[in-house]
Every structure is written in C-alpha cells, then in structure tokens.
C-alpha cells in the first residue's frame, strides 16, 4: 500500500515540528540547561533528553522492531557532552527513518500495542509541539508553533483526547476564550 496525500501532509508537519524543536535546542545557552521547564521536575536538559530519546527510539520502531528487540540501549543520558549535536543527530536519523519509502504503511510495535506508523508519527508530532512549547517557555523564546503542524496535531488529537485522559496521560482540558487561536486551543 502506498502512502497517501494525507500521509505526506502528516510527514511534512512532522518534519517542520522536528525542525522547530531543533531550532529551539540550538538557542539554549550554556546556563539554561539547568533552567526549570513547565514540565514538573524537569529542567531543560531533562526535557531535551526526553525528546532525543523519543527520536532515537523512532528509528528502530519505524523499522518494525519491537520494544523487546530494542531493549535498554536508549536508557539514560542521550545528550552526552554536546547536547545540541546529539539532538541534531537524533533528529536527522529520526527524519530519515520516518521518510524512508514504505515506512508510513508499516505497523509500529509500541509498548502500548501495535499501531499504524501514521498513528505513531502523530504521537511524535504532538511530542515536538508540546515539548517545543515547553522548551520555548523555559528559555524565554517565542512559543509560537508551526500553524500547519498545530492544525494537523489538533485534528488528530480531537479523536484521541478521551483515550489519553482515560489512560491518565493528559489532564482534562481548560476553558479558553472563544477568540483563542488554534495553538491556544
């Protein structure tokens, strides 16, 4: 089965969200790595390590490997002595894995069960947007996100919000003003 136009739009949104996240990582100053983030108990380095860890995991998962096959090779610090370079390299490898012909038609074996690769790509898109915003706030950067990526993520999440709340992965939504834009919603 070939990838659809919608899959290509999703892939482009994923690429932009990944690039935006890395752009923000590149703006982290040496003194900001220990700065707090909106994520409770996480500093900037912990947050970036989390996203880099997700990027590293995506490579074997997009290649149809199982969690058991990957094992613990991505446990712990993924940033080493040069967090910016580590983030760039992980992002590059993740983008190559997601873009490889046939990837979006595969099944991905997550710890929560098997899902279509497009579902996993939506989850990664959400990770980049949510944690990109967290990182921007932590370092005092502009927290505006790519509008097309936000729309793609919002469309996907609207059909999954209940599942995420039921699994206690997200909290209930908050009221926003009627005039709030898509990112704030």
């Amino acid at each position: 089965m070939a990838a659809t136009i919608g899959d290509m739009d999703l892939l482009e949104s994923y690429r932009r969200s990944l690039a935006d996240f890395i752009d923000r990582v590149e703006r982290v100053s040496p003194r900001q790595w220990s700065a707090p983030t909106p994520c409770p108990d996480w500093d900037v380095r912990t947050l970036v390590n989390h996203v880099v860890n997700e990027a590293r995991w995506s490579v074997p998962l997009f290649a149809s490997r199982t969690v058991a096959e990957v094992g613990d090779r991505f446990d712990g610090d993924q940033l080493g002595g040069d967090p910016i370079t580590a983030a760039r390299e992980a992002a590059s490898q993740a983008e190559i894995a997601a873009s490889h012909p046939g990837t979006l038609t595969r099944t991905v074996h997550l710890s929560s069960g098997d899902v279509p690769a497009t579902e996993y790509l939506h989850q990664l898109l959400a990770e980049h947007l949510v944690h990109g915003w967290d990182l921007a706030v932590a370092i005092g950067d502009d927290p505006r996100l790519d509008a097309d990526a936000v729309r793609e993520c919002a469309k996907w999440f609207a059909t999954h919000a209940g599942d995420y709340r039921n699994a206690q992965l997200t909290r209930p939504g908050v009221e926003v003003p009627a005039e709030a834009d898509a990112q704030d919603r």
Side-chain angles (χ1 to χ4, degrees), residues 68-176:
E69 288 172 326
V70 176
D72 62 1
R73 71 175 125 167
F74 301 123
D75 285 358
D77 179 42
Q78 296 295 308
L79 303 180
D82 188 351
I84 294 172
T85 298
R88 280 186 199 129
E89 289 171 354
S92 176
Q93 292 300 312
E95 183 177 353
I96 290 167
S99 303
H100 191 269
T103 293
L104 297 183
T105 62
R106 293 183 183 144
T107 297
V108 176
H109 311 289
L110 302 177
S111 59
S112 59
D114 291 354
V115 299
T118 54
E119 168 63 21
Y120 181 50
L121 198 60
H122 273 109
Q123 292 175 16
L124 293 172
L125 168 65
E127 278 281 306
H128 299 147
L129 294 175
V130 169
H131 291 312
W133 183 88
D134 292 334
L135 181 56
V137 169
I139 66 171
D141 199 21
D142 180 3
R144 297 309 306 166
L145 303 168
D146 180 274
D148 291 334
V150 168
R151 273 190 294 283
E152 179 68 36
C153 186
K155 181 175 67 177
W156 163 77
F157 192 70
T159 63
H160 292 76
D163 297 333
Y164 277 77
R165 275 193 297 277
N166 290 339
Q168 298 182 343
L169 297 171
T170 62
R171 295 180 184 150
V174 297
E175 292 294 320
V176 294

Side-chain angles (χ1 to χ4, degrees), residues 1-74:
M1 175 190 294
T4 67
I5 297 293
D7 293 347
M8 294 297 102
D9 292 343
L10 169 59
L11 184 58
E12 186 54 34
S13 292
Y14 164 78
R15 285 179 175 139
R16 285 195 309 271
S17 72
L18 185 58
D20 284 352
F21 185 82
I22 295 304
D23 287 347
R24 285 190 172 93
V25 170
E26 290 173 343
R27 290 193 287 275
V28 176
S29 73
R31 63 178 172 67
Q32 291 176 313
W33 288 102
S34 60
T37 72
C39 299
D41 302 322
W42 281 9
D43 62 13
V44 167
R45 184 178 175 91
T46 304
L47 182 139
V48 172
N49 189 69
H50 168 75
V51 176
V52 168
N53 180 281
E54 291 287 336
R56 294 201 192 285
W57 266 97
S58 74
V59 175
L61 292 177
F62 277 132
S64 297
R65 301 293 182 271
T66 66
V67 171
E69 288 172 326
V70 176
D72 62 1
R73 71 175 125 167
F74 301 123

Side-chain angles (χ1 to χ4, degrees), residues 173-184:
V174 297
E175 292 294 320
V176 294
E179 68 276 2
D181 64 13
Q183 178 173 316
D184 289 340

